[in-house]
Amino acid sequence: MRKIKLIWDFRGPDANKIAEHHEIHLKEYCTTEKLPYNITGFETINELYAIAYMVVTDDYMISVRDALKPHRGELYE
């Protein structure tokens, strides 16, 4: 089964703090919805750009996408 990395982009001087905080909510969602993977994280791309992400399978991608509105997605390996 494919794993998909759903990504939220944050820009601006507070991007890193916002992405870090957003990951807290992603972890809560994984627990509440009992998703099979609890893979979440955030990355600082540069001082004005950061991302938060969570990994889901194909089975959950549509429902998570519709509920949480990620900005984009990519295959996770």
Side-chain angles (χ1 to χ4, degrees):
M1 183 155 313
R2 291 187 317 168
K3 296 178 196 169
I4 300 165
K5 182 178 181 180
L6 300 175
I7 302 169
W8 290 261
D9 299 297
F10 301 98
R11 292 182 169 79
D14 295 327
N16 191 52
K17 287 182 181 181
I18 295 169
E20 185 176 5
H21 181 78
H22 192 71
E23 183 197 10
I24 293 168
H25 295 295
L26 295 176
K27 285 180 186 276
E28 290 170 352
Y29 185 84
C30 287
T31 302
T32 303
E33 298 298 318
K34 298 180 176 105
L35 297 179
Y37 297 109
N38 193 7
I39 303 171
T40 63
F42 71 95
E43 296 175 18
T44 302
I45 308 303
N46 62 46
E47 70 256 5
L48 296 175
Y49 179 45
I51 65 169
Y53 64 87
M54 75 184 300
V55 176
V56 297
T57 60
D58 281 332
D59 294 343
Y60 293 90
M61 195 279 295
I62 299 294
S63 62
V64 173
R65 181 200 67 193
D66 291 350
L68 301 181
K69 310 271 193 265
H71 297 127
R72 57 195 173 97
E74 60 187 39
L75 288 178
Y76 180 78
E77 297 179 32

